[in-house]
Amino acid sequence: MAETNQAWFDRATVVIPGGVDSPVRSFSSVGGVPYTVVEGHGPHVIDVEGRHYIDLVQSYGASLLGHAHPTVIEAITQAAQHGTTFGAPTKGEVLLAEAITSRVPGLEQVRFVSSGTEAVMSAVRVARGATGRSKILKFDGCYHGHADHLLVAGGSGVAELGLPGSAGVPEEAVADTVVAPYNVVPTLDDSFACVLVEPVAANMNLVAPAPGFLEGLRAECDRVGALLLFDEVITGFRLAQGGAAEYFGVIPDLWTFGKVIGGGLPVGAFGGKAELLRALAPQGPVYQAGTLSGNPLATAAGRSVLESVTPASYGTLTQRAQAFGADLEAAIRRGGLSACVASVGPLLGLYVGAHSASISTPTNYEEAKAIIAEGIYPEFFHAMLRRGVAMAPGAYEILFVSMSHTDEILAEVVAIAEEASLEVAASHR
Ligand SMILES: *Cc1c(COP(=O)(O)O)cnc(C)c1O
């Protein structure tokens, strides 16, 4: 039988709910059948039908160097030969913790977990345990993983599926979660343990922090003794070597990381000042644990990524991504659609609409949602996919340019985008 995406997806739906292990991978919001990946190299992925795509998903940002980077493969292979998990301290976790803390300004200690979700759950527990307060504040449209108390008003897949939150989360679980609009500094009181923020909102498509927003959060937290938590699961080691803290010069009390620091393996981390993290068991009363935390393969992979790049690499990535973003926007407009590419450093968010639409850069979730509701992302997505460019199958995700996306590859995407735009525009005439 011929290998087809349809056949594999049909098999998947028998044994995996909805055929996917994470709803963002489903094509629910764009229609059609997902491609089943068999391999990826650098900027490309190849599906079961042998089709090659230029990949702008890059595991939703987990892949900074591109797929199957030789250095990362070598690190994982070496580590695997010495055993994959022990339940005892290993050198690898110390080395990765040193690599992370030495690159992020103000960060003294990290503890490893196995996902971004776990990292945020744990950091919020530390904030509550250390302050003795219950309330947390998050921003509308920011995604912080799928823990009960953090799913309210989440972006990403929650937004794509049009869900307000999630069934199965009891009211009590979110009773202490206050949701505020992004880019407005909220007024807090001394019942707040922490303010949780994506320093660049990258799960409601892309929304940049307004000038003064992060500084304002820092000051407001200090005023009432709340902790500021930067969820750097996307921005960490992508926006700059020192992440958003370095990029914006605002130092939070707590950080969470994920994606890039695992080099494509399951890793998350949370951290802050050593004094604050004394609250954690075994030193303090806040319990948190993990059988596979600090896994030798994952820490080896993560370290190989961090050690493969320099501050200059981020400069190059940013330059390339920025030029690409501008060219992409222009090409889509030339093709006859309206487009806006929002950008912060190397992070790019594409908003695309029919010709008559006027699109200006959104500043919060309400604005992003309105643009996306009017937009024609599903059609544009498929026009790109048919021509061999894979973007995320949802309008609330951003475009990920990896270090392996050369200027030539990005120019190819731009040319394809113009053709795709022409085709979609024609169907709207
Ligand atoms: C992806 C993401 C998470 C969740 O990480 P997982 O590894 O998917 O659990 C948390 N916060 C942000 C900002 C993310 O982008």
Side-chain angles (χ1 to χ4, degrees):
M1 200 186 78
E3 292 270 313
T4 64
N5 290 314
Q6 183 73 58
W8 274 101
F9 188 61
D10 289 347
R11 273 175 79 167
T13 55
V14 174
V15 286
I16 297 172
V20 289
D21 281 319
S22 190
V24 293
R25 298 175 199 169
S26 85
F27 275 29
S28 313
S29 73
V30 292
V33 171
Y35 49 94
T36 294
V37 173
V38 285
E39 57 186 299
H41 300 280
H44 294 102
V45 292
I46 305 171
D47 72 12
V48 292
E49 297 175 7
R51 296 201 44 175
H52 290 54
Y53 305 90
I54 298 173
D55 182 32
L56 295 171
V57 181
Q58 295 290 323
S59 193
Y60 292 89
S63 172
L64 179 66
L65 303 182
H67 300 297
H69 191 282
T71 309
V72 179
I73 294 174
E74 175 62 20
I76 295 171
T77 309
Q78 283 293 330
Q81 283 164 5
H82 296 105
T84 55
T85 179
F86 303 106
T90 60
K91 287 197 240 174
E93 61 199 336
V94 180
L95 296 171
L96 182 59
E98 287 173 353
I100 291 173
T101 53
S102 66
R103 285 165 172 78
V104 177
L107 179 63
E108 292 177 358
Q109 292 192 333
V110 284
R111 180 172 279 177
F112 293 111
V113 290
S114 299
S115 69
T117 295
E118 245 188 292
V120 183
M121 270 171 55
S122 307
V124 168
R125 190 176 301 152
V126 168
R128 286 173 159 165
T131 58
R133 302 173 179 182
S134 301
K135 268 199 218 161
I136 59 176
L137 186 137
K138 80 172 281 285
F139 293 96
D140 201 13
C142 284
Y143 180 69
H144 302 291
H146 66 92
D148 278 359
H149 52 296
L150 301 172
L151 258 187
V152 278
S156 189
V158 182
E160 272 133 40
L161 300 174
L163 305 172
S166 170
V169 176
E171 290 284 320
E172 309 87 85
V174 295
D176 287 318
T177 306
V178 175
V179 181
Y182 197 78
N183 270 332
V184 178
V185 177
T187 304
L188 304 174
D189 59 40
D190 64 9
S191 64
F192 284 90
C194 71
V195 169
L196 178 56
V197 68
E198 282 185 76
V200 178
N203 284 286
M204 47 172 126
N205 203 323
L206 194 78
V207 173
F213 176 57
L214 299 173
E215 291 83 351
L217 293 181
R218 178 68 278 174
E220 185 61 8
C221 283
D222 290 344
R223 191 180 68 80
V224 298
L227 301 173
L228 180 59
L229 197 173
F230 274 5
D231 182 351
E232 296 227 39
V233 170
I234 284 186
T235 52
F237 302 95
R238 178 168 291 274
L239 198 51
Q241 186 168 257
E246 175 193 312
Y247 192 87
F248 296 108
V250 176
I251 309 296
D253 301 293
L254 286 165
W255 279 259
T256 53
F257 299 98
K259 297 191 172 116
V260 170
I261 64 160
L265 274 75
V267 184
F270 63 100
K273 292 251 185 290
E275 190 193 332
L276 180 56
L277 296 175
R278 261 206 293 273
L280 270 179
Q283 294 169 286
V286 178
Y287 196 72
Q288 184 281 331
T291 302
L292 294 175
S293 295
N295 177 265
L297 262 57
T299 51
R303 188 157 57 93
S304 73
V305 172
L306 302 198
E307 290 179 351
S308 295
V309 297
T310 62
S313 316
Y314 289 96
T316 307
L317 182 67
T318 294
Q319 258 174 14
R320 247 188 224 158
Q322 292 268 333
F324 167 59
D327 291 350
L328 181 66
E329 184 180 291
I332 297 172
R333 288 189 177 160
R334 271 199 307 279
L337 295 176
S338 63
C340 164
V341 175
S343 71
V344 180
L347 300 174
L348 301 175
L350 168 65
Y351 298 88
V352 56
H355 175 63
S356 53
S358 90
I359 303 180
S360 50
T361 318
T363 64
N364 59 36
Y365 190 34
E366 286 307 313
E367 292 175 14
K369 271 196 297 196
I371 294 170
I372 288 167
E374 291 289 302
I376 50 163
Y377 186 80
E379 288 167 69
F380 186 70
F381 165 85
H382 279 293
M384 293 291 277
L385 193 68
R386 279 195 296 277
R387 291 171 171 79
V389 175
M391 305 186 296
Y396 289 92
E397 312 298 337
I398 67 171
L399 303 175
F400 287 101
V401 175
S402 81
M403 303 253 179
S404 68
H405 288 75
T406 59
D407 289 329
E408 291 70 31
I409 294 277
L410 294 172
E412 212 179 307
V413 175
V414 169
I416 289 171
E418 184 165 351
E419 282 176 34
S421 176
L422 276 167
E423 177 195 305
V424 175
S427 74
H428 278 265
R429 230 161 252 138

